[in-house]
Amino acid sequence: LLSQNYISEGDYWENEYYSMLVSSILGMIVMASARDLITIFVALELLSIPAYLMATWRKRDLKSNEAGIKYYLMGVFASAVMLYGMSLLYGISGATKLADINAALGDDSSRVASLGVVFVLVGFAFKVSAVPFHTWAPDTYEGAPTPVTAFLAVASKAAGFVALAQLILVAFPDQGDIYEPLMWVLAAASMTVGNLIALRQTNMVRLMAYSGIASAGYIMAPLAVASSVPDEALRAMVTYLVIYAAMNLGVFAVILAVARKTRSAEISSYAGLFQYAPGLAVAMMVFLMALAGIPPFGGWWAKFAVFKALLDADTFGGYSLAVIAAVNSVIALFYYLSVLRTMWADDAPDGDVAPIRIPAALVAALAITVFATMAFGVYPPFVNDVADVSLIGAGR
């Protein structure tokens, strides 16, 4: 829905674009059902290679070319690191199935085993744009076509977390002393760095890139206590991912709609939005308040699930990470409110209050995401059912 008018109205190859989109989604579906290192790696490449191509789909735009090249080079580097880690795990266990690797490793804390676990997890930390493997995200998000940016921010991130959850809960459940400190550092760094740099952004897409990095920290936080509360950690992660998909796609739908008039993603171009597009301003308020975790919008339940998992672990690591997450939630509220102030309190540039013509596909996308964001916040059992199904799918 986000892509329909953007691609058809631009100088793009439409058929190939949708082929790439479906191919990438197929890779994500395979990733969700994979229980073998080789299958996971093939699925990762199946979802990543089309994404590299889509990031540079505006082939006559230098920024789009830069976005695709940076994403590709960093992605290949991360894949190489991950594949080396997989080779170490295969060398130790003699198996590629996750359950067999778990049986072979046991509580093995040798240097080779530790290195294999770390390298594999680092490879997927890149996919979810966790600090310090986040450097590709802001430039790629800004240079890629906006629907592709939305796809990378939501779908690619979800696939990466699916893989992380499978590896930690199926292949490395007894390696908590290795993966928990790593997840703790990545989560704390992602939340803090993402939010602090977002404070300085003047471009809405780059702001959402750093907001996404911070969100990766929140989603990753339960994995830092997964050995203590594995079911609760998985449930919290899935809950956050489902709600994050709705509110984040909604923000990009508004960005696409506003850009049809302003031809800009600068935050200053949103000045006076309520004067000429009150519906878009209200929708953006719903999404940004949800991202900030303000009830009754869906994001509050996502963050509640994360905090519950961290506190239920009853460990120093869980409590300290919960404090860091709480402080970062306050920091994030500042820049979300700054955008809202620009939309509601500032005057439109040059007094231009001509209405925005929004295509039907974009209206449908906005309606779906607004409904989902509100429904998840007002009636959380909607998303709880999805989280419970994920536990069954993981065999827990």
Side-chain angles (χ1 to χ4, degrees):
L1 291 174
L2 296 182
S3 299
Q4 182 176 329
N5 293 94
Y6 188 96
I7 298 299
S8 64
E9 294 171 2
D11 185 18
Y12 304 111
W13 296 87
E14 291 188 63
N15 183 57
E16 289 81 354
Y17 173 84
Y18 291 110
S19 298
M20 294 294 100
L21 190 67
V22 172
S23 297
S24 190
I25 292 172
L26 175 60
M28 296 173 191
I29 293 172
V30 173
M31 177 83 77
S33 60
R35 295 295 183 272
D36 182 277
L37 289 180
I38 296 174
T39 311
I40 288 175
F41 183 76
V42 172
L44 176 67
E45 295 307 299
L46 181 57
L47 75 88
S48 297
I49 293 173
Y52 301 150
L53 295 172
M54 289 191 295
T56 188
W57 213 247
R58 292 202 307 250
K59 59 184 178 181
R60 295 179 181 86
D61 186 326
L62 292 179
K63 278 193 172 182
S64 187
N65 293 338
E66 178 188 358
I69 290 172
K70 284 185 175 180
Y71 188 26
Y72 168 72
L73 291 177
M74 291 293 292
V76 169
F77 173 75
S79 294
V81 171
M82 181 185 63
L83 197 57
Y84 183 62
M86 288 181 174
S87 71
L88 293 177
L89 293 176
Y90 175 72
I92 294 173
S93 64
T96 58
K97 290 185 178 180
L98 301 187
D100 293 343
I101 291 173
N102 173 35
L105 288 181
D107 57 356
D108 184 0
S109 58
S110 67
R111 293 181 180 178
V112 177
S114 301
L115 199 61
V117 172
V118 169
F119 276 17
V120 171
L121 296 181
V122 162
F124 285 104
F126 163 84
K127 294 305 299 181
V128 302
S129 62
V131 174
F133 313 104
H134 68 291
T135 51
W136 63 274
D139 291 337
T140 299
Y141 282 24
E142 185 179 11
T146 307
V148 176
T149 299
F151 182 74
L152 295 177
V154 173
S156 180
K157 193 183 296 289
F161 276 112
V162 164
L164 274 175
Q166 289 180 156
L167 288 165
I168 287 175
L169 297 176
V170 180
F172 312 140
D174 300 320
Q175 307 293 315
D177 58 329
I178 300 172
Y179 72 76
E180 283 195 340
L182 177 62
M183 292 295 107
W184 194 100
V185 171
L186 291 177
S190 298
M191 286 186 283
T192 305
V193 172
N195 282 322
L196 290 179
I197 299 181
L199 292 171
R200 304 285 296 174
Q201 300 307 306
T202 60
N203 182 284
M204 194 64 196
V205 174
R206 292 186 72 88
L207 183 144
M208 290 307 300
Y210 285 107
S211 169
I213 292 168
S215 293
Y218 293 116
I219 302 169
M220 195 177 294
L223 296 178
V225 294
S227 65
S228 302
V229 284
D231 290 358
E232 198 68 36
L234 180 60
R235 183 181 288 108
M237 194 188 73
V238 172
T239 298
Y240 203 113
L241 280 172
V242 172
I243 298 174
Y244 176 80
M247 55 193 183
N248 218 48
L249 286 174
V251 170
F252 282 104
V254 175
I255 291 173
L256 277 166
V258 174
R260 294 181 66 84
K261 174 182 179 179
T262 64
R263 302 298 175 187
S264 171
E266 294 297 310
I267 295 176
S268 58
S269 68
Y270 288 75
L273 182 65
F274 183 72
Q275 299 173 25
Y276 60 86
L280 288 177
V282 170
M284 185 64 110
M285 181 196 71
V286 169
F287 300 133
L288 293 182
M289 289 295 94
L291 284 165
I294 305 297
F297 311 109
W300 80 269
W301 184 252
K303 291 190 175 179
F304 176 82
V306 170
F307 282 115
K308 185 176 186 300
L310 292 174
L311 298 178
D312 284 353
D314 194 25
T315 63
F316 175 77
Y319 289 128
S320 57
L321 201 53
V323 171
I324 293 172
V327 172
N328 275 283
S329 296
V330 177
I331 296 173
L333 182 61
F334 180 83
Y335 59 79
Y336 291 136
L337 289 177
S338 178
V339 175
L340 291 178
R341 180 189 59 79
T342 300
M343 293 191 307
W344 291 73
D346 293 353
D347 293 325
D350 303 321
D352 183 8
V353 292
I356 301 175
R357 291 186 176 182
I358 308 175
L362 210 49
V363 171
L366 283 166
I368 292 170
T369 49
V370 167
F371 173 78
T373 302
M374 292 300 301
F376 290 147
V378 173
Y379 191 67
F382 280 144
V383 73
N384 286 353
D385 293 341
V386 178
D388 290 339
V389 168
S390 73
L391 290 174
I392 298 172
R396 307 197 67 81

